[in-house]
């Protein structure tokens, strides 16, 4: 008689580097910024109801719940995806690793269990994204003062992290630079800047930013000792020297 399997888990790595284990003891299992989620991820780049994990025919699937910044599995943005042991998830600037006890060869023998095919269940409604045509404008950040890896940055991805950690887009190089200082979320041609868990104050044109704040062409941002200017440029214009 086989022993019951341990429940699957998520290894959760916060932007500031702390880690914890979340046990997927039930489904649906919700993830988001609000405290009433099964896993609360306290970061403004995470939506209040960001994603959920559901069970379908014995397999676990993660579904995006209409988040602004998106849900990523192995760096691919998804709407729904079956989870496998070792999958790497990204919600905002949180990193998660899905872990599930592997079945033995005997348990995986033919005839025991057919491959899972997700039925056409209704998906959570999410804001419709623009049609897949190239946006006319793209965000550019010019560094006015402070220690960074480059003098200019193109904000082409859905999330651009400002900080010293390896996956930051705008890299801070000062001796005491925080791992995460701020995050810029992109939605089409709109860009919003917000704090991370580091709590670093963000100034926009000399005023303290409250929550996620939309950026406009020419805005001057100050965070973690860096002063930068946000610009919207024609995608077809000459690329900045970066």
């Amino acid at each position: 008689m086989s022993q019951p399997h341990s429940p699957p888990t998520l290894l959760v790595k916060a932007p500031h580097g702390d880690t914890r284990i979340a046990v997927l003891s039930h489904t649906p299992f919700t993830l988001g910024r609000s405290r009433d989620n099964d896993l609360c991820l306290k970061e403004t780049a995470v939506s209040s109801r960001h994603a959920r994990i559901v069970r379908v025919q014995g397999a676990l699937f993660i579904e995006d719940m209409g988040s602004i910044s998106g849900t990523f599995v192995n760096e691919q943005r998804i709407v729904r995806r079956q989870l496998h042991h070792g999958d790497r998830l990204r919600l905002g600037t949180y990193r998660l690793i899905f872990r599930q006890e592997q079945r033995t060869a005997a348990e995986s023998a033919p005839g025991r269990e057919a491959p899972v095919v997700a039925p056409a269940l209704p998906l959570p409604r999410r804001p419709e994204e623009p049609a897949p045509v190239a946006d006319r404008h793209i965000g550019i950040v010019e560094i006015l003062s402070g220690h960074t890896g480059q003098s200019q940055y193109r904000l082409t991805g859905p999330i651009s992290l400002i900080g010293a950690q390896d996956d930051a887009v705008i890299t801070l190089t000062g001796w005491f630079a925080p791992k995460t200082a701020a995050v810029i979320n992109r939605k089409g041609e709109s860009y919003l800047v917000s704090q991370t868990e580091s709590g670093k104050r963000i100034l926009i044109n000399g005023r303290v930013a409250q929550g996620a704040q939309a950026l406009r062409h020419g805005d001057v941002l100050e965070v973690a000792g860096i002063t930068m200017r946000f610009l919207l440029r024609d995608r077809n214009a000459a690329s900045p020297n970066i």
Side-chain angles (χ1 to χ4, degrees), residues 156-207:
T156 58
I159 298 177
S160 297
L161 182 67
I162 302 172
Q165 67 184 38
D166 292 341
D167 57 350
V169 172
I170 300 174
T171 52
L172 307 185
T173 60
W175 185 260
F176 298 105
K179 289 186 176 181
T180 63
V183 64
I184 299 176
N185 290 299
R186 179 188 180 197
K187 186 72 171 179
E189 293 188 1
S190 298
Y191 292 81
L192 296 92
V193 65
S194 55
Q195 288 182 314
T196 63
E197 279 198 343
S198 68
K200 294 293 182 182
R201 187 178 66 167
I202 302 170
L203 298 180
I204 301 179
N205 302 324
R207 297 183 177 181

Side-chain angles (χ1 to χ4, degrees), residues 54-118:
V54 299
R55 187 177 296 276
V56 179
Q57 297 180 7
L60 292 175
F61 288 76
I62 186 167
E63 298 177 341
D64 186 82
M65 297 179 69
S67 67
I68 294 176
S69 58
T71 299
F72 294 79
V73 177
N74 300 324
E75 292 307 317
Q76 292 185 346
R77 188 167 185 165
I78 60 94
V79 175
R80 177 196 286 141
R81 177 72 60 84
Q82 184 176 350
L83 291 174
H84 301 280
H85 178 75
D87 278 347
R88 296 179 177 271
L89 317 180
R90 175 161 62 85
L91 285 73
T93 55
Y94 274 85
R95 308 285 173 160
L96 305 91
I97 299 177
F98 176 72
R99 293 177 171 176
Q100 187 171 37
E101 185 176 328
Q102 300 296 290
R103 294 180 181 274
T104 65
E107 292 173 318
S108 303
R112 288 194 61 91
E113 185 174 328
V116 173
V117 177

Side-chain angles (χ1 to χ4, degrees), residues 23 30 32 83 88 91 100 117 127 133 151 217 223 232 237:
V23 179
T30 60
L83 291 174
R88 296 179 177 271
L91 285 73
Q100 187 171 37
V117 177
V133 295
S151 60
H217 179 76
V223 61
L232 279 174

Side-chain angles (χ1 to χ4, degrees), residues 141-148 151 170 172 203 205 219-230:
V141 164
E142 294 183 342
I143 305 302
L144 302 179
S145 66
H147 299 288
T148 60
S151 60
I170 300 174
L172 307 185
L203 298 180
N205 302 324
D219 280 347
V220 174
L221 290 76
E222 299 174 65
V223 61
I226 305 299
T227 303
M228 62 196 89
R229 179 184 289 115
F230 174 79

Side-chain angles (χ1 to χ4, degrees), residues 11-41:
L11 175 63
V12 183
K13 183 176 180 180
H16 50 69
D18 290 348
T19 59
R20 53 180 162 144
I21 299 293
V23 179
L24 302 178
S25 57
H26 63 276
T27 56
F29 185 93
T30 60
L31 306 90
R33 193 176 68 251
S34 294
R35 293 183 178 180
D36 57 352
N37 286 287
D38 296 302
L39 178 58
C40 178
L41 305 175

